[in-house]
Amino acid sequence: MVIYLLRHGEAVTLEETPSKNDADRNLTIEGKEKLYQFSRGFINIGLQCDLILTSPYKRAYETAAIISESLGSSPRLEECQFLVPGSDLQDFINHLNKRKDFGSVVVVGHEPFLGNLASLLISGKTSLHIVFKKGGICKIEISELPPKGIGELQYLLTPKIIKALKKK
């Protein structure tokens, strides 16, 4: 299985959100524009997927929708309650284990969950300090999910690197 972990794009502040609810924070106009720009870089690094799992929080869902649109292959897009901030990593791993019928999955979520998930997937522990910038992505190849297996980190890209890839 190939797992891409992608942090949502730049979002409005809580104060700018009418409901004052963190889950309702949407992407900024600039955040959306950057994600559309990054999508060219994603294509250049060979990102392909069958399934996009996203946090139901608005900024993550909007990020997932932009990526889905840019890929053009119409991957299945699903909200996943196990990706909301504060979720238990093992609950998400259990959910992902049920989705092994998909060869490649993009997971769109939040920090520090994504950093901890990346650490768990490549080391079997959450002790590695991995941080995703907004719009940052990593690729992990894994044959069996923890605790039975660990994966191999193929890359971890910041938005600056992705932007540079877009130009090629």
Side-chain angles (χ1 to χ4, degrees):
M1 175 183 267
V2 176
I3 302 171
Y4 297 93
L5 304 179
L6 172 65
R7 186 173 179 198
H8 64 78
E10 181 183 325
V12 298
T13 65
L14 196 56
E15 293 76 30
E16 296 172 299
T17 306
S19 70
K20 304 296 186 226
N21 183 340
D22 186 43
D24 295 334
R25 292 175 47 216
N26 58 297
L27 294 174
T28 64
I29 292 171
E30 184 178 329
K32 288 179 185 177
E33 289 173 0
K34 284 182 181 178
L35 284 168
Y36 279 111
Q37 292 171 4
F38 294 165
S39 64
R40 173 73 184 201
F42 293 149
I43 292 166
N44 288 344
I45 59 173
L47 190 149
Q48 296 178 340
C49 72
D50 309 312
L51 174 66
I52 300 175
L53 292 174
T54 182
S55 160
Y57 280 31
K58 191 169 184 179
R59 59 193 177 272
Y61 190 88
E62 288 176 336
T63 298
I66 290 169
I67 299 310
S68 177
E69 178 185 326
S70 71
L71 292 176
S73 60
S74 301
R76 186 172 176 164
L77 178 59
E78 293 180 8
E79 288 185 12
C80 178
Q81 291 298 321
F82 301 116
L83 290 170
V84 298
S87 292
D88 183 76
L89 285 172
Q90 194 55 55
D91 289 341
F92 179 71
I93 294 292
N94 293 342
H95 179 72
L96 197 55
N97 250 323
K98 296 174 186 171
R99 308 315 309 256
K100 287 195 275 190
D101 50 324
F102 292 95
S104 58
V105 179
V106 173
V107 177
V108 182
H110 313 272
E111 273 294 282
F113 184 88
L114 288 178
N116 291 332
L117 179 59
S119 176
L120 182 65
L121 291 173
I122 62 176
S123 75
K125 303 173 186 147
T126 58
S127 56
L128 300 179
H129 185 68
I130 299 174
V131 178
F132 286 78
K133 301 274 187 187
K134 290 177 183 152
I137 190 169
C138 82
K139 177 183 179 183
I140 298 170
E141 290 189 15
I142 192 164
S143 57
E144 197 156 354
L145 294 168
K148 294 179 182 177
I150 58 171
E152 181 179 313
L153 178 65
Q154 298 293 305
Y155 55 73
L156 174 61
L157 304 175
T158 64
K160 283 185 182 180
I161 295 171
I162 297 166
K163 187 175 180 180
L165 290 170
K166 173 190 84 84
K167 295 177 182 178
K168 295 184 177 184

